[in-house]
């Protein structure tokens, strides 16, 4: 019964609040917990698809836990503690392609070692009940957190994509030099899925792939949603004599 309650795959936003309450607190509709939201996307830059999904995830967690209970650790050009409108803390990504290539050879990707140590110390100091990782590429720090005897945080991992598959496409279609990054990505993604307490994704399709290659069932499907910004007023456009309208 416990296995069924914990591992049964669910989906949709309608019952998501109840699902988190059940999994993290054992019942009831109120969650009084502190969360750290970790993302490698910037929250105040260009809003591509990944940024849009990250913003939605953050808003969703704030609506459940309360904005005052969710600390944010987001990507930036600088390390350290920066208090601002979009987040409390920052982490630094490796910018140099040379460093990315060399780090891939030792199965390390994305975050600088200084940032990993910063995240680790932050989790020990603040003693968050939940840490939400908005990516499957941060497996090294997730493994370190879950093996620590002091840190008791539940770890939620949200998969934007199957990163292993995406990197393999880069190896085949772009450059064989992406191979070290492919192996490093596959290794870190495997650690993320292995050590996460809850695994969420955008689609059942990705969940099926995770189960096939990592032998881990998806816990919940959280489909993408966007804030409705449609303007109801109509505007009249005068088109040139030769024009093409794509709808």
């Amino acid at each position: 019964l416990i296995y069924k309650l914990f591992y049964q795959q669910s989906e949709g936003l309608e019952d998501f609040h109840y699902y988190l309450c059940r999994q993290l607190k054992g019942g009831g509709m109120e969650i009084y917990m502190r969360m750290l939201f970790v993302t490698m996307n910037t929250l105040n830059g260009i809003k591509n698809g990944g940024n849009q999904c990250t913003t939605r995830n953050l808003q969703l967690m704030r609506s459940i836990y309360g904005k005052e209970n969710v600390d944010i650790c987001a990507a930036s050009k600088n390390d350290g503690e920066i208090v601002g409108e979009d987040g409390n803390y920052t982490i630094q990504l490796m910018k140099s392609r040379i460093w990315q290539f060399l780090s891939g050879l030792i199965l390390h990707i994305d975050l600088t070692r200084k940032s990993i140590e910063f995240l680790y110390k932050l989790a020990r100091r603040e003693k968050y009940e939940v840490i939400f990782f908005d990516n499957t590429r941060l497996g090294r720090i997730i493994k370190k957190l879950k093996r620590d005897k002091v840190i008791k945080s539940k770890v939620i991992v949200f998969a934007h994509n199957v990163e292993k598959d995406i990197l393999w496409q880069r190896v085949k279609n772009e450059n064989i030099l992406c191979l070290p990054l492919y192996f490093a990505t596959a290794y870190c993604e495997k650690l993320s899925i292995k050590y996460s307490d809850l695994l969420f994704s955008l689609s059942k399709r990705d969940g099926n792939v995770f189960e096939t290659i990592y032998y881990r069932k998806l816990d919940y499907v959280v489909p993408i949603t966007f804030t409705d910004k449609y303007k109801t007023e109509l505007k009249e456009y005068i088109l040139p004599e030769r024009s093409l309208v794509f709808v």
Side-chain angles (χ1 to χ4, degrees):
L1 176 61
I2 295 176
Y3 179 89
K4 182 178 179 181
L5 286 175
F6 193 82
Y7 288 99
Q8 182 180 8
Q9 181 177 316
S10 304
E11 63 179 309
L13 296 180
E14 184 178 351
D15 299 321
F16 186 64
H17 187 168
Y18 170 74
Y19 175 84
L20 271 187
C21 292
R22 188 181 68 186
Q23 298 300 332
L24 300 177
K25 294 293 287 183
M29 289 301 292
E30 297 295 333
I31 300 181
Y32 298 102
M33 290 184 172
R34 293 183 64 229
M35 167 184 278
L36 178 65
F37 185 94
V38 182
T39 178
M40 295 193 299
N41 288 325
T42 57
L43 297 173
N44 54 359
I46 299 175
K47 296 296 183 181
N48 57 32
N51 292 100
Q52 292 279 4
C53 186
T54 295
T55 301
R56 189 285 307 270
N57 289 342
L58 176 59
Q59 292 172 347
L60 190 59
M61 292 302 106
R62 281 176 164 176
S63 70
I64 294 174
Y65 290 87
K67 183 177 180 180
E68 69 280 0
N69 294 322
V70 179
D71 289 346
I72 306 169
C73 197
S76 176
K77 295 181 180 179
N78 302 304
D79 281 321
E81 301 185 21
I82 300 177
V83 180
E85 181 180 354
D86 292 321
N88 305 92
Y89 309 99
T90 60
I91 48 179
Q92 187 177 36
L93 306 178
M94 288 183 287
K95 300 297 182 182
S96 169
R97 290 190 176 185
I98 296 177
W99 275 113
Q100 290 176 8
F101 176 81
L102 294 176
S103 296
L105 295 175
I106 57 173
L107 302 180
H108 179 81
I109 55 173
D110 295 321
L111 291 184
T112 62
R113 294 190 178 276
K114 182 179 179 181
S115 290
I116 289 180
E117 191 63 26
F118 173 77
L119 267 175
Y120 175 67
K121 291 180 179 179
L122 178 64
R124 292 200 65 161
R125 185 184 76 209
E126 298 296 331
K127 296 180 173 59
Y128 296 101
E129 284 86 359
V130 183
I131 303 179
F132 186 106
F133 285 91
D134 187 56
N135 199 287
T136 57
R137 295 163 63 96
L138 298 177
R140 280 186 173 272
I141 180 62
I142 293 174
K143 177 183 176 181
K144 189 171 184 177
L145 294 176
K146 295 303 292 184
R147 285 192 167 186
D148 189 278
K149 295 182 179 180
V150 175
I151 300 172
K152 305 298 182 182
S153 307
K154 293 285 186 180
V155 170
I156 298 174
V157 171
F158 184 91
H160 286 247
N161 307 286
V162 181
E163 300 290 344
K164 180 180 178 181
D165 283 356
I166 292 178
L167 263 296
W168 180 243
Q169 294 303 316
R170 287 185 60 185
V171 172
K172 291 196 303 182
N173 301 319
E174 295 182 20
N175 197 323
I176 193 65
L177 293 178
C178 293
L179 201 56
L181 185 59
Y182 163 76
F183 286 117
T185 298
Y187 174 72
C188 290
E189 186 169 63
K190 181 178 180 180
L191 292 181
S192 294
I193 293 172
K194 177 180 179 180
Y195 287 98
S196 63
D197 294 295
L198 293 174
L199 177 63
F200 301 156
S201 181
L202 284 172
S203 68
K204 286 184 178 180
R205 183 192 66 83
D206 286 352
N208 293 335
V209 176
F210 286 134
E211 188 172 358
T212 299
I213 62 179
Y214 296 123
Y215 309 104
R216 166 73 186 270
K217 287 187 177 181
L218 201 65
D219 293 299
Y220 206 97
V221 176
V222 188
I224 189 62
T225 55
F226 296 99
T227 302
D228 186 0
K229 296 182 179 180
Y230 177 73
K231 296 181 180 179
T232 56
E233 63 271 15
L234 299 178
K235 294 183 178 180
E236 182 178 350
Y237 292 94
I238 300 177
L239 298 176
E241 184 177 350
R242 292 184 179 182
S243 61
L244 175 66
V245 179
F246 180 82
V247 179

